[in-house]
């Protein structure tokens, strides 16, 4: 994960395997700290998890979705970017009334 953050800090795009591992690791931590299946967090093309307690979603498009770019996810998860700022800047797309991760970030 450190390699991915260092690359981003230097204005470079991390190597794909490094980026993928960092994104997936932090998505896993989110799912462990906010267990549930009411919100789907998507970070294409590297991963997605369901998390946050509440009504369980089982098929089709979930009603509560959070989607963002990998760099945004790493910044949010590590506290380099606040949830409010990411939403205000349009760096996070949210749908559904449960799609607010501010209580769960940073990790």
């Amino acid at each position: 994960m450190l390699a991915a953050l260092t690359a981003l800090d230097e204005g470079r795009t991390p190597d794909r395997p490094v980026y993928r591992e960092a994104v997936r690791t932090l998505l896993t931590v989110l799912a462990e700290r906010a267990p549930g299946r009411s919100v789907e967090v998507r970070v294409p093309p590297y991963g997605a998890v369901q998390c946050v307690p509440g009504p369980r979603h089982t098929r089709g498009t979930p009603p509560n979705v959070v989607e963002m770019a990998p760099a945004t996810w790493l910044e949010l998860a590590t506290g380099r970017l606040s949830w409010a700022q990411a939403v205000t800047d349009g760096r996070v797309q949210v749908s559904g009334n449960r799609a607010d991760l501010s209580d769960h970030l940073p990790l």
Side-chain angles (χ1 to χ4, degrees), residues 30-93:
L30 174 64
E32 289 170 354
R33 291 189 183 177
R37 298 183 61 103
S38 69
V39 177
E40 184 167 293
V41 179
R42 299 174 181 169
V43 185
Y46 299 119
V49 295
Q50 289 187 351
C51 57
V52 181
R56 180 181 172 160
H57 169 75
T58 55
R59 66 179 114 164
T61 301
N64 301 290
V65 176
V66 176
E67 188 167 332
M68 68 201 84
T72 300
W73 171 240
L74 294 182
E75 290 176 22
L76 282 169
T78 60
R80 295 171 178 217
L81 175 66
S82 74
W83 176 259
Q85 190 64 52
V87 172
T88 299
D89 292 349
R91 295 179 62 186
V92 175
Q93 291 73 50

Side-chain angles (χ1 to χ4, degrees), residues 6-58:
T6 299
L8 291 173
D9 288 344
E10 294 173 353
R12 298 181 292 112
T13 300
D15 293 332
R16 189 171 176 87
V18 170
Y19 223 174
R20 180 179 55 243
E21 183 65 26
V23 166
R24 289 182 179 175
T25 296
L26 291 170
L27 284 171
T28 299
V29 171
L30 174 64
E32 289 170 354
R33 291 189 183 177
R37 298 183 61 103
S38 69
V39 177
E40 184 167 293
V41 179
R42 299 174 181 169
V43 185
Y46 299 119
V49 295
Q50 289 187 351
C51 57
V52 181
R56 180 181 172 160
H57 169 75
T58 55

Side-chain angles (χ1 to χ4, degrees), residues 39 63-64 95-100:
V39 177
N64 301 290
S95 66
N97 60 355
R98 302 182 65 81
D100 180 349

